[in-house]
Each structure stands twice: as structure tokens, then as C-alpha cells.
């Protein structure tokens, strides 16, 4: 995360930021610093997704990482290189190729949690704008403006 103008502008426009980190000590220490920067730049809700590529469970578990970085962890995605490789070769998401695998289930859980965040908070200003835009499209379509 570099503090450039485009990245800082982008952060001010976000409603949700999902930060991905690995479960090792160096990544956790860097994440803590990056989260401070993210919290100072924007008002987005910040979540964490832990990718455990080493396969070694973290000593303190998910709760220990949450305490160290001070942010909620949504999911931990375990290593399954052969499944991910197959999905990459076929150029499809792992949830399509191996829907019952642990990473696919974790990715599905992650998307459900983020979607739930939007439906609970109700991004009303965006939905109102979308409704007005759709209404204008329908009006033009009805008048033969397409």
C-alpha cells in the first residue's frame, strides 16, 4: 500500500475495504501499520481476510491476529495449491471448479458477509441514484429515445 494520490482518493470513495494478509509475523506487523494508514485516510469499514499459504496454523489463531492488528477477520483461506492451480488453468473461479472445497466455501462466506454488510447498512444514496438513472432510462425508452 503506497500512499499515492490515486490510492488515497480511491480510499475516500470506498465503503468497504477488505485487506488480505498472510498469517506470518512479518505480514501481521505490516498489516497493523497499513490499517492505521487506511483508517486515517478513509471512513470505509475495514475487514481482514487471512490467506494461510504456509499451511501452519497461526499460534494465537484468528482471535490472536484480530487482537494484534485491531480489526475483524472475516475468513481464513487455507492452502490448496492443486485446486487453485486447476481453477487458474481452466480460467474459472475456484467456487465454480471445486464448489465444495474449503477455499471455495470460505470465498462464498466472504462474499456473503460483505454483501450482508451492504444490505444491513443500506447504501441508500447509491441505490437512489441507480433508481433515478433507471427511471430516466425507462422514460427515454418509452419515448423512443433509444
Amino acid at each position: 500500500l503506497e500512499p499515492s494520490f490515486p490510492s488515497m482518493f480511491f480510499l475516500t470513495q470506498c465503503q468497504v475495504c477488505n485487506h488480505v494478509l498472510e498469517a506470518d509475523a512479518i505480514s501481521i506487523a505490516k498489516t497493523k501499520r497499513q490499517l492505521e494508514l487506511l483508517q486515517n485516510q478513509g471512513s470505509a469499514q475495514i475487514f481482514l481476510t487471512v490467506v494461510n499459504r504456509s499451511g501452519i496454523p497461526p499460534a494465537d489463531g484468528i482471535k490472536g491476529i484480530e487482537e494484534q492488528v485491531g480489526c475483524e477477520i472475516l475468513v481464513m483461506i487455507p492452502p490448496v495449491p492443486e485446486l487453485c492451480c486447476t481453477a487458474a488453468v481452466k480460467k474459472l473461479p475456484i467456487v465454480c471448479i471445486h464448489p465444495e472445497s474449503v477455499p471455495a466455501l470460505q470465498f462464498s462466506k466472504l462474499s456473503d458477509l460483505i454483501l450482508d454488510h451492504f444490505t444491513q447498512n443500506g447504501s441508500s444514496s447509491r441505490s437512489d441514484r441507480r433508481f433515478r438513472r433507471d427511471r430516466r432510462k425507462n422514460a427515454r425508452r418509452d419515448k423512443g429515445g433509444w
Side-chain angles (χ1 to χ4, degrees):
L1 179 67
E2 295 295 325
S4 65
F5 176 75
S7 63
M8 294 303 114
F9 177 76
F10 179 76
L11 287 173
T12 62
Q13 304 302 311
C14 287
Q15 294 178 2
V16 172
C17 179
N18 184 34
H19 189 71
V20 179
L21 74 145
E22 292 197 35
D24 61 85
I26 295 170
S27 182
I28 291 170
K30 285 183 178 180
T31 297
K32 187 171 184 175
R33 171 70 183 110
Q34 289 176 341
L35 289 177
E36 291 170 2
L37 180 66
L38 287 171
Q39 290 166 344
N40 291 335
Q41 292 301 318
S43 60
Q45 175 73 37
I46 300 172
F47 299 115
L48 293 176
T49 298
V50 177
V51 178
N52 189 2
R53 285 196 274 183
S54 68
I56 302 167
D60 298 335
I62 290 179
K63 293 297 176 193
I65 297 172
E66 283 179 345
E67 289 173 6
Q68 286 180 352
V69 296
C71 193
E72 178 184 4
I73 294 176
L74 292 182
V75 295
M76 179 181 279
I77 300 172
V80 238
E82 65 284 350
L83 299 181
C84 295
C85 228
T86 305
V89 167
K90 294 188 178 188
K91 298 184 178 168
L92 289 170
I94 195 166
V95 293
C96 296
I97 299 292
H98 305 286
E100 297 302 317
S101 66
V102 175
L105 295 173
Q106 292 295 79
F107 279 121
S108 297
K109 179 181 174 184
L110 176 64
S111 64
D112 289 343
L113 290 169
I114 291 175
L115 180 63
D116 191 42
H117 172 78
F118 282 111
T119 55
Q120 283 179 356
N121 292 344
S123 156
S124 60
S125 63
R126 286 188 176 203
S127 63
D128 290 345
R129 275 187 275 154
R130 191 178 313 122
F131 174 72
R132 285 194 302 267
R133 185 177 64 228
D134 291 345
R135 195 175 61 212
R136 287 192 306 260
K137 278 184 183 177
N138 290 339
R140 281 185 284 180
R141 193 177 297 130
D142 293 342
K143 291 179 185 175
W146 286 88

